[in-house]
Amino acid sequence: MSIARKGGWFTGEYFEEHSSERAFASATVSPEGKRYAPDKLVDVLHVKLDVTFDLGQREIRGRATHTVTPIMDGLKRLVLDCCELTVESVREGSGRALRFGHDGAKLTVFFPKALQRGDRLDVAVEYHGRPRMGLYFTGPSGDYPDTAAQVWSQGQDEDSRYWFPCFDYPNEKATSETVVTVPERWTVVGNGKLLSVKHDKKAGTRVFHHRESTPHVAYLVSIACGEFSKIEEEWHGVPVQYFVKPGEEDKARRSFALTPDMMEHFSRTFGVDYPYEKYSQVVVEDFIFGGMENISATTLIDRCLMDERAALDYEPQDLISHELAHQWFGDLLTCRDWSHAWLNEGFATYSEVIYREHWRGAEDAHQHRLQQMQSYFERDRAERRPIVTKAYTQPIELFDAHIYEKGALVLHMLRYILGDGPFWACVRTYLTAFRGQTVQTEDLMGVIPEVTGKNLEWFFDQWVFGAGFPEYEVAFAWDEDSRVASLTVDQKQKLEGSTGLFRMPVVVRFHGATLVEQTVEIKEAHQTFTFVLDAKPAFVAFDPGCQILKKLTFKQPLQMLKARLSKDPDWFGRVEAAQMLCRDGSAEALDAVGRSLLKDSFWGARAEMAAALGENGSLHARDLLIGALKIKDPKIRRAVVRALGKFRDGDAAAALAPLATKDPSYFVEGEASLALGATREARAFDVLKDNMKKASHLDVIRANACAGLARLRDDRAWPLLRACAAPGGKPQGRVAALRAMALLAKGRDPYRAEVREDLERYLTDPNFFAKFGAMIALEALDEPAAAVAVEAVRFRERDGRLRANSRDIARSLREGKSKGEEMNALRADLEKLREEKRATDDRLSKLESMVKTGDGKGKRGRRKR
């Protein structure tokens, strides 16, 4: 699943997250607050769903038939998750009615006599309901008249129970069938093979019958129903299908063209051919995630579809490859309980890197991996925890950068330690040995010594069951007489909680007339390593290729940095040199970076160099960036524009304005809008006002214009932002406008209360993203009075992301109030002390004056006499 985590939906500035547990969660909660998988007393062999819809009432009516067999003798009842549905009847296969009880969360079916191990029984549940989760109805409305009428499901994490009775936990797998009746013009995209389509001309309906023959968990059961155009290719005889709204066929071909190549590459790399009857990708309206890997039938958000202009520098392939990789990791093999969800998401996220390596080359894959590293660092700053933990309230809370990005980075480090051949041999053995099963981390760990003979328990203890990462400080020294180089390495991370010292093999590479490479093992807080060399190296690389998840401080002489900037074959080594040269800040150092920005062979290196110049912040760095605006590659140009946003002066604004007005790239134009606003130059307002009217992919221009207006701090922006936030616009622009309103009002008493009331109204907006955006905006506004309205979200919403963020943001606002009150008291004490100091200073000044003039001496002398 590609999930909408806090800060993770969008690209650029705004593009591309509970104090009580979710009601009806099925996992067992221990007294210590840890969650464990529920008991599994039956084996569900097959699930068949026969459903129809009342589109006007947004209601489902269905029959769910489970074929079950007991795990042990003496089974007297079957318990299914069944939330907010009305159960009409329960019958066994022969048609005999079965006694049942339903408390709104659990459906308990009682058997006439106890079942014995080996018995099989069909249990059919007739039900209806108006789901608030799990199944979603879309259609035209007053604000969105062009929204297509559709019905689609979304089961992960534990939401399938809201649209059909089921065993809704990932430690149970079954084959499935869906029989779905829809209007005549509609198509149903379902799991597995399409067995039949039956027409009822009298009723004006069609019935689609799909069957998935590979056992899978309940959250992967999927239906997507609506009026779709279908584009079909094949991969080795397997149908490869793309379903989109009519009129979007060209976008679909453009976006999904690489899917067969991905299937080929993953099948070859993973050692297991794509395992299902077909592969479908369906784009639906108002999808609440980026994508969902329903078995053989992925559901995707419409942001993956791109026009020709977006295709200049927008690549949906990471999302598409991520969901495809899940067909192996997450679908064929599924985490046994949510605490091991990184086995699903870490592998899928690393597969983005794996496909980029094949598609774009090693450097591009490396650049994508470093972006994942930055995403993880950002999340780690907010919350540090192990990848595997049972301490959570709702499963959705685990779906963050710890299991996605850090999970991917851990797999890369495992590949680095084992080597390519042994690593992929382990992956293939893991997939083959546990095919069709549920898994936990120990299963992957056990494969490694079986295949390689190596015991890597220490690796998993620190990276998966432990938290954090090493922070290295490295110093280089050279002894000319003995021709000995020495490296002193200190681990500076704070040792607390689950974060300890890290043991890692690290490559050290000395570049000179000859290249010398050695591997050292770092495992202590302080270590010194010596190396006998023929001559002093031109430069030194510590962990070339940045294989290790780490932060590094490595100070080197200016000449060594310049040599590395121009000669290091590793592009990230060149970037590290550029970053350190920009910290040096001399004209010589900055000029060297400026030259590399214009000519380096890899676009990712040039983008990072632009960022380093932006962080330097000097006028010299600004001029070098202005000179780089002529670069044709839009991805590099976008980075240059972003860096220029660090400068608040007229020259930067004058250089940015033409790109904010018009650029071949949506994303450069959007980034220039944000950067132009950040300069605080008066000329920016008219440009940003015009850009608020521009349509673009992901609404990126309008959204970044909103962000630019917030930074410009011009009160003429209020009506523009309020209009953009209103229903009717794209969610990306609306979210950006809501946050811009908060930033524009923050710390400005005449506006804070009014904006708080505006934002609170959006907490009940029908659009998921608008609700989420309103909460994030209220957090940015930092107005404690909003805590009550924010906390109310978790009582009326079912979505776990809304509930979790409602809890956390309300707590943050209250803590802010408490801290604010504490700060006010401190300010009062400080002012009192200042008053006392002023009085003392006045008294001291008068006494000094008296002493200086002699008046004091005379008076004191008389007193003495």
Side-chain angles (χ1 to χ4, degrees), residues 4 203 407 509 626 768:
R509 190 177 289 165
I626 291 173
F768 170 86

Side-chain angles (χ1 to χ4, degrees), residues 593 597 605-615 625 636 639-641 643-644:
V593 177
L597 171 59
R606 297 167 74 180
E608 295 293 338
M609 291 171 188
L613 288 168
E615 291 299 323
L625 288 166
I636 305 172
V640 173
V641 164
L644 275 173

Side-chain angles (χ1 to χ4, degrees), residues 41-42 66 68 75-83 85-91 97-112 121 123-126 165-167:
L41 302 180
V42 300
H66 288 68
V68 301
L75 183 71
K76 297 180 178 179
R77 60 178 64 89
L78 171 68
V79 180
L80 298 174
D81 298 296
C82 183
C83 292
L85 296 171
T86 300
V87 177
E88 299 168 359
S89 67
V90 181
R91 298 182 182 275
L98 296 174
R99 188 165 59 89
F100 68 90
H102 184 218
D103 63 4
K106 299 285 187 181
L107 171 63
T108 304
V109 180
F110 301 94
F111 302 134
L121 183 69
V123 178
V125 182
E126 300 276 352
C166 58
F167 191 95

Side-chain angles (χ1 to χ4, degrees), residues 30-302:
S30 74
E32 297 81 25
K34 295 183 178 180
R35 284 185 165 273
Y36 299 93
D39 294 336
K40 177 184 165 183
L41 302 180
V42 300
D43 186 7
V44 180
L45 304 175
H46 186 69
V47 179
K48 182 177 181 180
L49 300 179
D50 192 331
V51 299
T52 60
F53 311 113
D54 182 329
L55 300 178
Q57 296 298 316
R58 300 195 167 203
E59 181 178 74
I60 183 173
R61 182 169 294 276
R63 180 173 61 253
T65 304
H66 288 68
T67 302
V68 301
T69 185
I71 301 294
M72 296 182 66
D73 291 340
L75 183 71
K76 297 180 178 179
R77 60 178 64 89
L78 171 68
V79 180
L80 298 174
D81 298 296
C82 183
C83 292
E84 301 184 6
L85 296 171
T86 300
V87 177
E88 299 168 359
S89 67
V90 181
R91 298 182 182 275
E92 61 173 308
S94 64
R96 180 171 59 174
L98 296 174
R99 188 165 59 89
F100 68 90
H102 184 218
D103 63 4
K106 299 285 187 181
L107 171 63
T108 304
V109 180
F110 301 94
F111 302 134
K113 64 175 184 178
L115 299 182
Q116 306 305 310
R117 183 182 175 91
D119 289 346
R120 290 169 63 106
L121 183 69
D122 289 340
V123 178
V125 182
E126 300 276 352
Y127 67 97
H128 68 272
R130 296 180 182 176
R132 293 192 293 160
M133 294 274 287
L135 190 73
Y136 299 82
F137 294 77
T138 69
S141 65
D143 293 318
Y144 296 94
D146 297 326
T147 300
Q150 294 177 354
V151 180
W152 46 265
S153 63
Q154 169 54 39
Q156 198 176 32
D157 48 39
E158 298 176 0
D159 296 347
S160 287
R161 64 188 69 190
Y162 287 90
W163 73 280
F164 69 95
C166 58
F167 191 95
D168 199 11
Y169 200 81
N171 63 346
E172 176 61 272
K173 289 193 169 191
T175 56
S176 68
E177 284 178 85
T178 55
V179 181
V180 184
T181 302
V182 293
E184 173 65 33
R185 293 175 60 86
W186 281 26
T187 296
V188 178
V189 183
N191 309 111
K193 185 176 182 180
L194 178 60
L195 300 180
S196 66
V197 180
K198 296 181 180 179
H199 299 257
D200 185 336
K201 292 184 179 180
K202 185 176 180 180
T205 61
R206 290 201 289 178
V207 181
F208 287 76
H209 185 184
H210 289 83
R211 180 183 176 93
E212 177 51 66
S213 58
T214 301
H216 55 88
V217 295
Y219 72 71
L220 294 173
V221 174
S222 173
I223 55 173
C225 317
E227 193 171 340
F228 295 118
S229 287
K230 175 183 175 183
I231 300 166
E232 187 160 2
E233 302 181 90
E234 69 170 38
W235 172 81
H236 294 299
V238 175
V240 181
Q241 305 164 341
Y242 320 128
F243 294 88
V244 293
K245 289 194 303 184
E248 295 188 331
E249 295 86 355
D250 287 345
K251 290 182 179 180
R253 292 186 182 95
R254 188 178 294 115
S255 297
F256 298 134
L258 292 174
T259 302
D261 185 60
M262 292 178 187
M263 296 172 74
E264 176 70 22
H265 184 63
F266 287 158
S267 295
R268 200 168 55 242
T269 303
F270 300 158
V272 173
D273 282 349
Y274 177 81
Y276 311 111
E277 301 92 337
K278 64 108 191 314
Y279 186 54
S280 298
Q281 294 175 98
V282 56
V283 178
V284 300
E285 294 280 70
D286 298 335
F287 195 51
I288 57 174
F289 292 91
M292 180 62 212
E293 66 274 12
N294 304 306
I295 188 166
S296 78
T298 287
T299 306
L300 292 163
I301 197 170
D302 62 359

Side-chain angles (χ1 to χ4, degrees), residues 486-604:
S486 63
L487 282 183
T488 302
V489 184
D490 292 295
Q491 293 196 51
K492 305 298 286 188
Q493 67 271 16
K494 193 173 184 180
L495 306 180
E496 63 179 4
S498 300
T499 304
L501 293 172
F502 283 79
R503 168 188 170 187
M504 284 299 288
V506 181
V507 173
V508 180
R509 190 177 289 165
F510 298 93
H511 293 261
T514 59
L515 187 146
V516 177
E517 183 174 290
Q518 293 191 28
T519 300
V520 299
E521 184 174 73
I522 298 174
K523 57 183 179 181
E524 307 294 342
H526 176 83
Q527 290 173 269
T528 299
F529 304 94
T530 58
F531 311 85
V532 179
L533 305 174
D534 292 338
K536 182 179 180 180
F539 60 92
V540 184
F542 181 88
D543 183 30
C546 195
Q547 309 293 340
I548 299 168
L549 172 59
K550 68 183 186 304
K551 289 190 176 177
L552 173 65
T553 302
F554 187 7
K555 294 182 179 179
Q556 299 178 57
L558 179 63
Q559 292 307 313
M560 292 185 78
L561 292 175
K562 288 176 63 179
R564 191 177 187 194
L565 179 66
S566 61
K567 296 179 181 178
D568 197 333
D570 170 28
W571 75 267
F572 193 69
R574 303 194 296 274
V575 168
E576 285 184 333
Q579 291 169 339
M580 287 183 276
L581 286 166
C582 286
R583 293 188 194 112
D584 175 278
S586 66
E588 180 184 3
L590 294 179
D591 284 338
V593 177
R595 287 191 296 271
S596 290
L597 171 59
L598 295 176
K599 69 178 185 179
D600 194 278
S601 60
F602 178 53
W603 75 266

Side-chain angles (χ1 to χ4, degrees), residues 340-362:
H340 297 276
W342 83 281
L343 295 173
N344 297 8
E345 300 300 344
F347 268 105
T349 306
Y350 190 46
S351 294
E352 300 170 22
V353 176
I354 298 306
Y355 186 69
R356 278 191 169 271
E357 198 170 2
H358 161 75
W359 171 45
R360 292 288 197 194

